[in-house]
């Protein structure tokens, strides 16, 4: 009886196809439900939205496919060297961002754009940051961990500090490792606590000195030109005088010629 065998084959193929599509469908629905970045691990956050863990994945860039309802984002212990402009723009709920233990040396202008209203905690500790640019933080009010970075304290940093809107205690994490000038006495100190040191005054002094030197240079040039001019003219005057001394005889001759012409 060949029929049952055929029927069995047909039946098993159909069953296989059904099972296959079922598996595919569940996979798709599951993916839609979590919609997590392909590199990271996502879980529902207790305060709504998602907690996205991308720690210790050797990432060199911020993943581009983070879910838009990310509330807590952990990117610590990766190889990020810079935070580009608008890196977190599509994450309106983001309240905690951990970028610690990376190699961040640069925060582009607008790096945290779009987070001003939501971000409460920003961890930038244990990176390679040397200076802060207010353009990178654009009105961010978050509490930030800025410790364990090789901060270079100079007039630039001093000018930037008052322009930051970060929670004020955050700035105590800026501990100077190097400084300009080197002997300012701020090395090893939190920059905020070295209150009476003005790193820009020193700069003003050096520009004053430069100005003085330039003015002195001009002055010397003017004086030497004057001296040259007077000497040159003295010589001219002497020659003129000699000419004048030799003049009477010439004048006599010309008078003679004029009388001659009148006679003619
Ligand atoms: C995320 O995107 C979806 C689909 O585009 C949208 O419906 C939802 O409101 C967004 N969620 C947030 C928090 O923006
Ligand atoms: C800041 O970061 C450092 C190093 O990553 C850590 O030891 C410290 O506890 C953090 N401070 C706060 C207030 O979170």
């Amino acid at each position: 009886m060949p029929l049952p065998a055929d029927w069995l084959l047909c039946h098993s193929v159909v069953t296989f196809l059904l099972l296959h599509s079922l598996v595919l469908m569940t996979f798709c629905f599951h993916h839609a439900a979590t919609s997590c970045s392909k590199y990271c691990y996502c879980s529902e956050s207790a305060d709504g939205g998602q907690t996205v863990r991308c720690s210790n994945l050797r990432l060199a860039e911020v993943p581009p496919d983070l879910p838009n309802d990310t509330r807590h984002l952990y990117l610590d212990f990766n190889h990020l060297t810079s935070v580009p402009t608008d890196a977190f723009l599509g994450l309106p709920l983001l309240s905690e961002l951990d970028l610690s233990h990376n190699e961040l040396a640069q925060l582009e202008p607008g790096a945290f754009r779009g987070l001003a209203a939501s971000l409460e905690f920003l961890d930038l500790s244990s990176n390679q940051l040397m200076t802060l640019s207010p353009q990178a933080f654009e009105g961010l009010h978050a509490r930030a961990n800025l410790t364990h970075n090789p901060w270079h304290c100079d007039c630039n940093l001093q000018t930037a500090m008052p322009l930051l809107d970060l929670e004020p205690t955050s700035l105590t994490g800026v501990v100077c490792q190097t400084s300009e000038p080197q002997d300012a006495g701020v090395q090893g100190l939190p920059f905020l606590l070295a209150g009476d040191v003005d790193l820009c005054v020193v700069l003003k002094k050096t520009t004053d000195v430069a100005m003085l030197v330039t003015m002195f240079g001009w002055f010397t040039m003017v004086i030497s030109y004057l001296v040259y001019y007077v000497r040159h003219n003295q010589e001219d005057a002497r020659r003129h005088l000699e000419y004048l001394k030799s003049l009477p005889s010439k004048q006599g001759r010309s008078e003679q010629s004029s009388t001659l012409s009148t006679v003619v």
Side-chain angles (χ1 to χ4, degrees):
M1 284 171 70
L3 203 71
D6 266 7
W7 184 83
L8 214 69
L9 187 73
C10 194
H11 186 80
S12 61
V13 164
V14 167
T15 317
F16 173 77
L17 279 176
L18 266 174
L19 264 174
H20 187 76
S21 48
L22 205 71
V23 165
L24 268 179
M25 270 167 75
T26 48
F27 180 76
C28 281
F29 274 115
H30 180 74
H31 194 72
T34 55
S35 78
C36 186
S37 163
K38 72 174 166 187
Y39 304 106
C40 308
Y41 308 96
C42 298
S43 57
E44 290 297 322
S45 162
D47 48 358
Q50 295 192 51
T51 297
V52 181
R53 297 180 191 279
C54 318
S55 309
N56 212 347
L57 292 174
R58 298 188 196 157
L59 298 177
E61 282 172 7
V62 177
D65 53 353
L66 296 165
N68 68 350
D69 59 345
T70 302
R71 197 173 283 271
H72 304 273
L73 176 57
Y74 301 98
L75 283 163
D76 50 327
F77 291 98
N78 279 295
H79 299 306
L80 306 177
T81 54
S82 139
V83 178
T85 305
D86 295 343
F88 307 101
L89 192 57
L91 312 177
L93 303 182
L94 195 63
S95 75
E96 180 183 6
L97 175 57
D98 188 351
L99 290 165
S100 68
H101 298 93
N102 276 280
E103 290 143 32
L104 295 177
Q106 185 112 13
L107 306 172
E108 297 290 342
F112 303 110
R113 193 171 290 154
L115 303 182
S118 62
L119 199 68
E120 288 168 17
F121 185 64
L122 172 64
D123 198 342
L124 287 169
S125 66
S126 301
N127 275 289
Q128 297 299 322
L129 297 170
M130 295 178 79
T131 194
L132 285 170
S133 90
Q135 291 83 10
F137 294 92
E138 277 181 349
L140 215 60
H141 309 297
R143 183 159 55 90
N145 189 343
L146 300 172
T147 60
H148 298 91
N149 278 285
W151 296 111
H152 178 69
C153 296
D154 61 357
C155 184
N156 240 344
L157 191 68
Q158 183 176 327
T159 319
M161 288 264 218
L163 302 177
L164 294 170
D165 282 330
L166 294 174
E167 194 205 88
T169 55
S170 310
L171 299 181
T172 56
V174 179
V175 176
C176 307
Q177 260 188 35
T178 54
S179 71
E180 173 66 44
Q182 288 187 344
D183 57 357
V186 293
Q187 261 134 313
L189 291 179
F191 195 30
L192 273 194
L193 302 186
D196 51 344
V197 179
D198 190 346
L199 297 175
C200 294
V201 159
V202 185
L203 196 74
K204 272 178 225 143
K205 264 188 205 152
T206 56
T207 50
D208 280 358
V209 167
M211 195 96 130
L212 215 70
V213 167
T214 319
M215 272 170 65
F216 184 74
W218 275 107
F219 193 66
T220 318
M221 266 170 68
V222 168
I223 292 289
S224 43
Y225 180 73
L226 273 178
V227 166
Y228 167 79
Y229 184 79
V230 165
R231 278 207 186 146
H232 193 77
N233 275 17
Q234 261 179 351
E235 214 155 276
D236 267 6
R238 191 166 47 77
R239 251 187 263 134
H240 196 68
L241 218 68
E242 270 165 22
Y243 170 74
L244 281 181
K245 272 183 202 158
S246 67
L247 215 55
S249 55
K250 272 188 206 162
Q251 213 169 19
R253 235 178 282 145
S254 67
E255 263 169 27
Q256 273 172 12
S257 64
S258 66
T259 48
L260 209 77
S261 61
T262 48
V263 165
V264 169

